[in-house]
């Protein structure tokens, strides 16, 4: 047992710590605050403390637990809310009340609750790490596959259907003359990636329901993306939308150094909203980590790794998982603060020199993989991180380091936010390296996807060029064909790209709907060009009923959209005559 | 704060005095972050804070600097305890300084209950999303940037802009819609001029709000360290009133820029590595430890709503103080110098302002069914008018169509009739909405695309509809 020797912010140094190991978890002082050893020198240990250190004094005791920081994995994670070091905030609320006092200890998984376990094999079976030995229905949406922990193998001895707590033995594993109990729960060091058989290139679209993402800058299952933007540009709303609507089996929302009210809002809405694919409450497919900005800074750093470990664990069951982290900048700032206390030589803007490698240690744990064990399974973990650049200036270190790692960028634009164009994903600056690989996926849904997408992107690009001229001469001075291009670009922006998270229908746009909307606009573009060639003024075209009906597409529910779009297209097929009949 | 005066231990073993720091021999029981007294050989007493505790040496930062500290006769006295505020219902109607001592001539607060001024974070799982509309009587807020109970909504101002006047108006007028119940007001003045502080207090007195108010005042001439404790004392009082006395509390903190500058000054004296513009790298977290104390807790009656006020250096919204604040608060009310020059009061910039909690606070049963539609249409109309105004400065107004001229006109009226109002006028939300409808009636009806047809029938003033 050691003693506090020095206290400096969230970092303490303890003496008499011989025999400890780096990353070992320790308990500090009377209140048994949680900390982690991050360095050793002779008999001294440098410890980062996961709780507020105010009021500690020299000489208070420091006890090692002999263990490094582990994530608890097993049934009961889904629907739960954790702090950065995986203490259940729901349990804390019941046991210690509404405020987070220091030194409170709770388990991540409930030790009393019984789960019904159904074996998938019989005694005598030969198993190895990753094999599924049975299942537990964790929520209405998640069948929790109980796997042999990686690295273990042997013969299953006793295995029986029944109700078990996470600690009770559900089966015995015999190996080399020894017998090990298997339980519903396993533990895994949070900083260490979980193993898999092999990795694939991401190629299937991750359907997020946000049009500008799915259609223009698609994300693939197992991919990694960043979403940087100044304050109020919509990082949180976008990420919330993605964990709400993404067609994945499970989502993990890591609120890292952000707002308490926002967490409260997301927690409440997930109790009320239903998954579009299954009609069940979203809470049944989400795990939340909430380490808000006023909670201890050091826990931000580990919270991200706890989150990604859980993502990998469910990936290993053969599921598609989406993890979003809001905000990785707060995570980086936590590292900066600890680095400063350690008096390390800082890198750019005071961030530690290992900022880039720590960021990639996180993002690189995304991926689409063939899982260990049998039956054969393919699972994926997709990762999206928000970045909060100071002054919305993307040249700063966290944004720049992140851009070197991710394959898709959703660049949020303050000017669009001020214009209330949401989502503020800037179509000229954003990109996705997955666009080519998910092409095949899209073309199965809509064969003309590539063409429509390219047309739209070109139109938007030309609009940007014309805007300069408009600023100088005014829109009226442009030739008719440029006016038409501006009209179509405006329709793409307003009737397709803009998508309110709060619109009852349009909040989620499935791929087919997205395609119908954009291809109708592009058809209208051809139609209008025809009319313009016949001498019709763009101002007349712009005031037409058909155009107004296109702008109403967003309000049309999914089960009526086919018919709605059909009738627009039929009218366009009628040429100029239809404009007159429909009335301008 | 009387029990606080009883210091238990002291030491004379000061080994180093440099910049603002004293290195003293470690003494048993001295606690990380506690506030200590440094007594000089002359008898003068300064306060200091323990910023690092080691087994052999402890580092104390002396507020007011180490000049005249000598290593032989100076003493450090400490109590083994961090700063606490005595709380009781008697704090209402009282004014304190930035260390928690009464400065209104009244008696000290006697209480068994002392609360750590740093507070304890609320469990996110215990929070309740803020959703109750606060009627401030100011159209630009109630109509377009709704404030709700439990929100933190700052005012981003510039020097010379009327933020204090707006804050005073909010204090006078804020109430829950349809209820006469008043807010308790907690006022934290940080590094403000004596006149400003006095003005605020007399304002509270005149409107009779003082009896339900608590003030913590750190004037520009009081110790810099107390700029850091002033908002924490204020928030501790607010939390006590909200969570234990079930009151709805409105906290005004002004000026956060002075707070941040104090943070920078003290960090620089410690020789810390600065981040942007010299402010410490942990300023985000530090500001969050203040602003995050706003909220609602499920199962508790009260609420803490915070309106921090800051002046943007150079009117620059990307400056670290407004920038980091914006990253923490739930929106911002931004004041505009051009509007102020046009003598529009309150000069609220509609485009840069935003309330992120607005959608929860409005609509049927809360304000009125058409509120969101009116908000969106007003915004679109004003944006279009503004855009046209901009291009006319380049190409002249001859190039405008008749329709464009209507929009230019509407934008002017929007500024003069909707945004502008008297500092004593208190508009109900219905009045606010009907001003907007009145202006909409100038526009061609088919342009009201963002409004549900049923609301157009119901609310659009008649004359224009019959045209
Ligand atoms: N898709 C959307 N649909 C409608 N409104 C949106 C959308 N995205 C953002 N908004 C609006 O923008 C506001 C700010 O968005 P959000 O809170 O996500 O910003 P942020 O980038 O996370 O900011 P911060 O960095 O300060 O946390 C929201 O409160 C909402 O009013
Ligand atoms: Mg956010």
């Amino acid at each position: 047992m050691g003693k506090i020797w020095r206290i400096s912010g969230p970092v303490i140094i303890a003496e008499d710590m011989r025999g400890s190991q780096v990353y070992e978890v320790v308990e500090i002082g009377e209140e048994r605050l949680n900390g982690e050893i991050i360095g050793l020198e002779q008999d001294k240990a440098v410890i980062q403390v996961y709780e507020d250190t105010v009021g500690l004094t020299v000489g208070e005791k420091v006890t090692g637990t002999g263990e490094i920081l582990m994530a608890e994995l097993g049934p009961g994670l889904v629907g739960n809310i954790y702090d950065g070091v995986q203490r259940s905030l729901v349990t804390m609320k019941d046991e210690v009340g509404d405020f987070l006092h220091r030194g409170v200890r709770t388990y991540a998984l409930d030790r009393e609750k019984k789960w019904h376990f159904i074996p998938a094999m019989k005694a005598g079976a030969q198993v190895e790490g990753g094999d599924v030995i049975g299942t537990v229905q964790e929520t209405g949406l998640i069948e929790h596959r109980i796997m042999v922990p990686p690295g273990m193998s042997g013969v299953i001895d006793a295995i029986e259907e029944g109700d078990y707590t996470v600690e009770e033995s559900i089966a015995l594993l015999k190996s080399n003359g020894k017998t090990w109990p298997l339980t519903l729960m396993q533990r895994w060091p949070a900083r260490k990636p979980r193993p898999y058989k092999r990795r694939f290139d991401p190629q299937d679209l991750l359907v997020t329901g946000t049009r500008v993402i799915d259609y223009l800058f698609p994300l693939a299952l197992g991919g990694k993306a960043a979403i940087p933007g100044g304050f109020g540009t919509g990082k949180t709303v976008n990420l919330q939308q993605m964990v709400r609507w993404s067609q994945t089996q499970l989502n993990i929302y890591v609120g890292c150094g952000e707002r308490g009210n926002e967490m409260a809002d997301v927690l409440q809405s997930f109790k009320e909203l239903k998954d579009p694919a299954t009609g069940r409450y979203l809470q049944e497919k989400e795990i939340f980590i909430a380490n808000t900005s006023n909670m201890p800074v050091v826990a931000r750093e580990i919270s991200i790794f706890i989150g990604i470990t859980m993502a990998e664990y469910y990936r290993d069951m053969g599921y598609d998982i989406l993890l979003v982290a809001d905000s990785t900048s707060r995570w980086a700032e936590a590292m900066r603060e600890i680095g400063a206390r350690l008096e390390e030589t800082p890198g750019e803007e005071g961030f530690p020199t290992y900022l880039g490698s720590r960021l990639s240690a996180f993002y690189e744990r995304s991926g689409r993989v063939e899982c260990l064990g049998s039956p054969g399974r393919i699972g994926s973990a997709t990762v999206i991180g928000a970045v909060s650049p100071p002054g919305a200036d993307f040249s700063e270190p966290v944004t720049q380091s992140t851009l070197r790692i991710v394959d898709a960028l959703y660049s949020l634009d303050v000017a669009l936010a001020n214009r209330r164009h949401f989502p503020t994903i800037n179509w000229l600056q954003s990109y996705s390296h997955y666009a080519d690989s998910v092409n095949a996926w899209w073309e199965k849904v809509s064969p003309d996807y590539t063409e429509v997408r390219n047309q739209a992107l070109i139109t938007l690009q030309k609009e940007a060029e014309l805007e300069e001229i408009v600023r100088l001469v005014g829109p009226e001075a442009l030739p008719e064909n440029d006016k038409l291009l501006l009209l179509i670009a405006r329709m793409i922006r307003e009737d397709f790209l803009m998508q309110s998270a709060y619109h009852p229908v349009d909040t989620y746009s499935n791929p087919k709907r997205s395609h119908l909307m954009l291809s109708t606009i592009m058809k209208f573009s051809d139609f209008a060009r025809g009319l313009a060639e016949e001498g019709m003024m763009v101002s007349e075209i712009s005031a037409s009923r058909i155009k107004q009906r296109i702008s109403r597409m967003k309000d049309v529910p999914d089960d009526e959209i086919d018919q709605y779009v059909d009738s627009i297209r039929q009218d366009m097929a009628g040429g100029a005559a239809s404009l007159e009949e429909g009335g301008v | 704060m009387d029990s606080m005066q009883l210091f238990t231990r002291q030491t004379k073993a000061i080994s180093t005095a440099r910049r603002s720091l004293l290195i003293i021999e470690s003494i048993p029981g001295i606690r990380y972050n506690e506030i200590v007294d440094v007594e000089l050989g002359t008898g003068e007493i300064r306060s200091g804070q323990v910023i690092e505790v080691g087994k052999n040496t402890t580092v104390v930062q002396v507020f007011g600097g180490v000049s005249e500290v000598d290593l032989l006769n100076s003493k450090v006295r400490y109590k083994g305890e961090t700063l606490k505020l005595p709380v009781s219902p008697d704090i209402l109607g009282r004014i304190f300084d930035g260390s928690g001592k009464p400065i209104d001539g009244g008696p000290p607060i006697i209480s068994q209950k002392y609360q750590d001024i740093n507070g304890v974070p609320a469990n996110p799982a215990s929070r309740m999303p803020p959703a109750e509309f606060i009627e401030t009587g100011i159209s630009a807020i109630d109509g377009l940037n709704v404030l709700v109970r439990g929100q933190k909504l700052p005012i981003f101002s510039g020097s010379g802009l009327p933020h204090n006047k707006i804050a005073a108006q909010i204090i006078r007028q804020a109430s829950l819609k349809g209820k006469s119940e008043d807010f308790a007001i907690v006022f934290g003045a940080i590094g403000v001029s004596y006149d400003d502080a006095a003005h605020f207090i007399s304002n509270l007195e005149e409107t009779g709000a003082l009896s339900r108010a608590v003030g913590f005042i750190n004037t520009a001439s009081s110790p810099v360290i107390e700029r850091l404790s002033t908002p924490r004392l204020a928030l501790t009082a607010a939390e006590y009133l909200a969570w234990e006395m079930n009151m709805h509390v409105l906290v005004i903190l002004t000026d956060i820029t002075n707070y941040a500058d104090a943070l920078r000054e003290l960090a620089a004296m410690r020789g810390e590595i600065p981040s942007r513009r010299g402010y410490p790298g942990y300023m985000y977290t530090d500001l969050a430890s203040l602003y995050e104390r706003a909220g609602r807790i499920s199962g508790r009656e009260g609420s803490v709503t915070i309106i921090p006020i800051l002046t943007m250096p150079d009117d620059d919204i990307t400056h670290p103080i407004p920038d980091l604040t914006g990253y923490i608060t739930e929106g911002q009310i931004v004041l505009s110098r051009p509007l102020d020059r046009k003598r529009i009061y309150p000069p609220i910039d509609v485009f840069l302002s935003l309330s992120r909690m607005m959608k929860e606070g409005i609509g049927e049963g809360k304000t009125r069914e058409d509120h969101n539609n009116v908000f969106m249409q007003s915004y679109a109309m004003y944006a279009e008018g503004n855009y046209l105004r901009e291009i006319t400065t380049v190409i002249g107004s001859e190039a405008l169509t008749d329709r464009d001229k209507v929009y230019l006109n509407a934008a002017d009226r929007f500024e003069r009739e909707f945004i502008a109002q008297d500092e004593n006028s208190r508009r109900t939300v219905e009045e606010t909405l009907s001003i907007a409808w009145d202006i909409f009636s100038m526009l061609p009806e088919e342009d009201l695309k963002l409004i549900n047809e049923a609301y157009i029938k119901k609310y659009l003033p008649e004359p224009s509809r019959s045209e």
Side-chain angles (χ1 to χ4, degrees):
Chain A
M1 198 183 74
K3 292 196 296 273
I4 298 182
W5 185 78
R6 171 171 224 96
I7 308 156
S8 170
V11 173
I12 67 165
I13 297 177
E15 60 182 350
D16 298 339
M17 294 295 288
R18 236 174 259 279
S20 317
Q21 47 173 324
V22 174
Y23 287 147
E24 179 176 344
V25 174
V26 297
E27 294 179 346
I28 302 145
E30 285 308 314
E31 293 171 283
R32 294 170 61 216
L33 308 187
N34 238 309
E36 188 183 26
I37 297 180
I38 52 176
L40 289 167
E41 200 180 320
Q42 310 282 6
D43 76 325
K44 297 207 174 58
V46 182
I47 297 164
Q48 54 179 6
V49 187
Y50 288 126
E51 296 177 78
D52 195 353
T53 54
V54 167
L56 284 179
T57 185
V58 162
E60 290 194 68
K61 65 174 187 224
V62 177
T63 322
T65 60
E67 273 197 340
I68 65 171
L69 204 121
M70 299 277 201
E72 281 192 2
L73 304 168
L77 292 174
V78 178
N80 217 324
I81 309 154
Y82 295 104
D83 76 354
V85 286
Q86 217 198 359
R87 287 181 295 196
S88 168
L89 291 171
V90 183
T91 315
M92 296 227 301
K93 179 181 176 204
D94 295 342
E95 289 177 1
V96 293
D98 296 329
F99 295 91
L100 298 171
H101 295 279
R102 300 192 295 190
V104 177
R105 215 49 38 121
T106 74
Y107 291 116
L109 298 176
D110 190 332
R111 293 300 193 266
E112 321 268 283
K113 184 171 167 121
K114 297 256 185 194
W115 299 93
H116 190 72
F117 172 70
I118 301 171
M121 51 179 51
K122 294 205 175 71
Q126 173 78 39
V127 296
E128 58 177 27
D131 284 356
V132 176
I133 59 169
T135 58
V136 160
Q137 196 65 41
E138 183 172 2
T139 68
L141 285 175
I142 296 285
E143 180 191 78
H144 197 108
R145 300 180 178 150
I146 307 299
M147 299 169 289
V148 177
M152 290 178 83
S153 64
V155 175
I156 291 285
D157 192 13
I159 184 165
E160 217 170 305
E161 177 165 351
D163 296 321
Y164 300 92
T165 67
V166 291
E167 286 179 314
E168 285 167 349
S169 160
I170 49 165
L172 296 175
L173 182 72
K174 285 214 295 205
S175 146
N176 296 329
K178 284 196 182 145
T179 306
W180 311 91
L182 294 179
T183 56
L184 294 178
M185 172 175 89
Q186 47 179 282
R187 303 171 79 229
W188 186 264
R191 295 180 188 279
K192 195 168 150 188
R194 282 174 65 93
Y196 48 82
K197 261 189 208 148
R198 71 195 164 104
R199 220 180 151 112
F200 303 107
D201 278 342
Q203 60 183 31
D204 290 333
L205 180 73
L206 182 142
V207 176
T208 67
T210 299
R211 279 191 291 273
V212 53
I213 294 180
D214 292 353
Y215 211 93
L216 296 189
F217 310 108
L219 186 54
L221 288 171
K224 44 186 192 288
I227 174 161
F231 68 79
T233 51
K235 296 177 293 296
T236 304
V237 173
N238 274 299
L239 293 180
Q240 288 183 355
Q241 283 293 89
M242 291 191 221
V243 291
R244 249 174 220 142
W245 308 127
S246 282
Q247 296 304 292
T248 41
Q249 273 97 39
L250 180 86
N251 302 320
I252 301 176
Y253 185 96
V254 186
C256 176
E258 291 290 316
R259 302 173 180 82
N261 281 338
E262 235 160 50
M263 268 330 287
D265 185 50
V266 88
L267 293 174
Q268 173 152 325
S269 77
F270 280 63
K271 282 184 198 148
E272 292 161 0
L273 289 172
K274 291 184 175 164
D275 178 37
T278 56
R280 299 196 63 109
Y281 287 109
L282 284 172
Q283 211 184 8
E284 296 188 27
K285 54 173 280 196
E286 308 287 334
I287 304 172
F288 303 94
I289 296 181
N291 195 78
T292 54
S293 56
N294 57 339
M295 286 162 73
V297 172
V298 177
R300 282 184 209 164
E301 198 262 344
I302 193 73
S303 69
I304 297 252
F305 289 110
I306 296 273
I308 192 74
T309 304
M310 297 197 272
E312 286 175 340
Y313 174 67
Y314 282 92
R315 170 204 71 188
D316 290 346
M317 294 178 202
Y319 293 133
D320 294 320
I321 316 300
L322 171 65
L323 177 141
V324 305
D326 186 9
S327 162
T328 60
S329 293
R330 308 304 166 215
W331 181 66
E333 283 163 18
M335 289 189 266
R336 173 167 71 185
E337 191 170 340
I338 296 158
R341 299 286 178 174
L342 298 178
E343 291 169 11
E344 292 170 341
T345 319
E348 239 182 306
E349 289 197 20
F351 285 103
T353 47
Y354 48 81
L355 172 68
S357 60
R358 201 64 68 89
L359 277 166
S360 55
F362 161 58
Y363 281 106
E364 289 303 329
R365 288 173 73 173
S366 64
R368 184 163 168 272
V369 304
E370 182 181 348
C371 312
L372 289 184
S374 64
R377 308 178 297 282
I378 288 177
S380 69
T382 309
V383 168
I384 310 175
V387 187
S388 316
D393 170 5
F394 287 13
S395 67
E396 59 91 37
V398 182
T399 314
Q400 288 303 315
S401 309
T402 305
L403 289 186
R404 284 195 283 277
I405 302 167
V406 296
D407 284 315
L409 168 70
Y410 304 116
S411 167
L412 303 188
D413 187 334
V414 177
L416 289 178
N418 291 343
R419 269 157 56 188
R420 306 296 194 260
H421 172 114
F422 291 115
T424 64
I425 296 176
N426 181 302
W427 47 91
L428 301 174
Q429 286 158 15
S430 302
Y431 58 76
S432 164
H433 294 320
Y434 304 110
D436 289 340
S437 35
V438 302
N439 232 334
W441 187 98
W442 259 114
E443 291 193 338
K444 269 182 255 161
V445 178
S446 35
D448 53 342
Y449 162 76
T450 314
E451 196 191 316
V452 172
R453 174 174 183 266
N454 286 346
Q455 267 184 20
L457 285 173
I458 290 168
T459 310
L460 291 169
Q461 178 71 47
K462 286 199 184 138
E463 179 196 36
E465 292 160 14
L466 281 176
E467 250 162 24
E468 295 293 308
I469 304 173
V470 173
R471 292 242 153 230
L472 294 176
V473 300
E476 287 311 310
L478 291 181
E480 285 294 295
N481 60 340
D482 283 348
K483 281 190 198 159
L484 181 60
L485 185 124
L486 289 184
L487 174 69
I488 302 300
R490 182 172 179 158
M491 288 172 75
I492 298 173
R493 285 189 284 108
E494 292 180 358
D495 304 332
F496 179 78
L497 295 178
M498 276 173 87
Q499 185 181 3
S500 169
Y502 311 123
H503 190 290
V505 174
D506 206 40
T507 179
Y508 171 74
S509 182
N510 66 46
K512 211 181 121 225
R513 178 185 175 92
S514 302
H515 178 72
L516 273 179
M517 289 173 78
L518 189 57
S519 59
T520 304
I521 295 171
M522 297 326 292
K523 286 230 160 62
F524 179 80
S525 168
D526 296 340
F527 167 67
R529 191 166 315 114
L531 298 181
E533 274 160 18
E534 287 166 29
M536 194 184 261
M537 302 297 286
V538 172
S539 55
E540 288 172 87
I541 298 172
S542 169
S544 68
R545 282 281 302 161
I546 289 194
K547 198 212 136 221
Q548 281 174 20
R549 277 154 68 204
I550 290 176
S551 71
R552 289 270 170 199
M553 286 189 298
K554 284 182 189 171
D555 298 329
V556 182
D558 284 349
D559 52 1
E560 292 166 26
I561 187 105
D562 280 307
Q563 206 191 346
Y564 187 84
V565 166
D566 263 355
S567 88
I568 294 176
R569 291 185 177 190
Q570 266 165 25
D571 288 352
M572 288 196 288
S578 65
L579 272 190
E580 272 128 45
E581 274 161 41
V584 174
Chain B
M1 313 242 24
D2 42 343
S3 88
M4 305 248 110
Q5 248 93 70
L6 302 169
F7 289 99
T8 46
R9 284 164 264 189
Q10 69 178 37
T11 179
K12 288 178 81 172
I14 303 174
S15 64
T16 311
R18 198 186 329 122
R19 300 168 99 173
S20 70
L21 305 182
L22 292 184
I23 300 179
I24 58 173
E25 184 178 282
S26 274
I27 29 188
I30 196 162
R31 300 208 171 254
Y32 174 63
N33 246 7
E34 81 169 270
I35 304 286
V36 299
D37 273 4
V38 179
E39 190 183 320
L40 274 52
T42 60
E44 183 190 339
I45 294 178
R46 290 186 195 155
S47 43
Q49 186 168 31
V50 177
I51 59 166
E52 194 170 300
V53 191
K55 186 173 181 184
N56 306 316
T57 56
T58 290
V59 184
V60 171
Q61 177 161 32
V62 187
F63 310 128
V66 296
S67 69
E68 294 170 74
V69 169
D70 68 299
L71 301 184
L72 281 180
N73 296 309
S74 303
K75 303 183 195 98
V76 173
R77 288 191 297 218
Y78 66 102
K79 43 195 180 277
E81 214 178 47
T82 51
L83 188 56
K84 294 192 169 64
L85 174 75
V87 286
S88 95
D90 298 340
I91 59 175
L92 284 172
R94 302 297 307 274
I95 312 281
F96 304 88
D97 71 5
S99 70
K101 297 193 188 81
I103 49 169
D104 54 1
I109 300 295
I110 310 293
S111 171
Q112 296 302 92
K113 216 178 155 89
Y114 280 76
Q115 270 173 6
D116 191 315
I117 66 161
N118 291 307
V120 182
N123 183 337
S126 294
R127 283 185 184 262
M128 208 164 77
E132 294 140 301
F133 175 74
I134 298 174
E135 195 172 74
T136 66
I138 298 173
S139 293
I141 297 177
D142 295 354
L144 310 173
N145 297 287
V146 161
L147 175 68
V148 300
R149 275 183 176 174
Q151 184 175 11
K152 39 193 179 293
L153 187 65
I155 298 178
F156 288 6
S157 185
S159 46
L161 294 179
H163 45 270
N164 285 337
K165 209 160 146 187
I166 297 173
Q169 188 173 3
I170 294 175
I171 290 179
R172 278 197 310 273
Q173 301 184 346
S175 69
L176 265 206
K177 184 172 153 53
K179 294 192 186 153
S180 55
E181 177 190 359
D182 281 320
F183 283 87
I185 308 289
V186 175
F187 175 58
I190 309 156
V192 300
S193 73
Y194 181 81
D195 287 350
D196 276 352
H199 184 79
F200 238 99
I201 293 166
S202 66
N203 211 306
L204 288 171
E205 263 168 357
E206 278 160 28
T207 55
L210 192 57
S211 62
R212 54 184 169 91
V214 194
F216 293 86
I217 303 213
N218 164 270
T219 56
S221 57
S222 3
V224 172
I225 177 62
E226 292 178 3
R227 311 237 202 291
L228 304 195
S229 50
T230 302
R232 293 186 165 81
L233 287 162
L235 290 161
T236 303
E239 284 176 340
Y240 167 75
L241 295 173
W243 311 139
E244 286 169 51
M245 303 296 295
N246 297 324
M247 299 175 91
H248 292 288
V249 187
L250 186 62
V251 185
I252 310 273
L253 299 175
T254 184
D255 180 328
I256 294 296
T257 302
N258 296 333
Y259 174 87
D261 286 349
L263 204 64
R264 174 170 70 176
E265 183 179 335
L266 297 173
M269 284 199 265
R270 292 174 195 169
E272 289 176 355
I273 304 161
S275 176
R276 295 219 157 187
R277 305 223 191 167
Y279 293 92
Y282 49 79
M283 190 155 90
Y284 171 84
T285 301
D286 189 278
L287 289 174
S289 74
L290 304 180
Y291 301 150
E292 273 296 314
R293 292 170 80 170
R296 297 225 53 186
I297 302 282
S298 54
R300 296 187 195 224
E301 253 312 299
S303 62
V304 176
T305 307
I306 307 183
I307 303 186
I309 298 173
L310 59 86
T311 41
M312 298 183 278
D314 276 339
D315 290 350
D316 175 8
I317 199 169
T318 67
H319 183 282
I321 300 170
D323 188 53
L324 294 178
T325 296
Y327 270 123
I328 303 163
T329 53
E330 283 125 5
Q332 64 281 337
I333 304 288
V334 184
L335 303 191
S336 145
R337 204 167 290 280
L339 282 184
D340 187 57
R341 285 205 191 101
K342 284 198 218 167
R343 303 178 159 272
I344 306 277
Y345 171 88
I348 293 177
D349 184 320
V350 172
F351 303 109
L352 296 181
S353 302
L354 166 75
S355 162
R356 305 198 196 181
M357 305 250 120
M358 173 147 171
K359 65 175 196 316
E360 280 84 8
I362 63 172
E364 206 179 340
K366 291 179 171 167
T367 54
R368 209 171 73 182
E369 53 185 357
D370 57 327
H371 194 154
N372 192 42
N373 284 189
V374 170
F375 158 65
M376 292 199 300
Q377 192 70 58
S378 307
Y379 187 90
M381 171 186 78
Y382 186 44
E384 170 119 31
N386 249 303
Y387 169 76
L388 291 166
R389 206 186 269 163
E390 254 174 60
I391 43 178
T392 50
T393 59
V394 184
I395 58 172
S397 57
E398 308 78 53
L400 295 186
T401 63
D402 284 347
R403 179 184 171 279
D404 291 348
K405 286 181 187 142
V406 170
Y407 273 88
L408 265 184
N409 208 338
D412 282 339
R413 278 190 64 193
F414 193 71
E415 284 172 2
R416 279 183 285 105
E417 296 171 28
F418 185 93
I419 300 178
Q421 71 188 82
D422 189 80
E423 100 175 88
N424 290 312
S425 98
R426 175 180 187 161
R427 295 185 188 149
T428 64
V429 68
E430 288 82 2
E431 284 165 341
T432 290
L433 295 174
S434 71
I435 296 172
W437 277 107
D438 218 43
I439 302 172
F440 294 162
S441 67
M442 296 169 70
L443 308 181
E445 196 178 318
E446 64 272 16
D447 275 16
L448 302 180
K449 277 189 279 193
L450 298 171
I451 307 189
N452 187 314
E453 313 231 315
Y455 302 152
I456 295 182
K457 284 212 181 70
K458 195 160 162 191
Y459 297 108
L460 191 66
E462 276 310 321
S464 110
R465 301 213 51 231
S466 54
E467 270 169 24

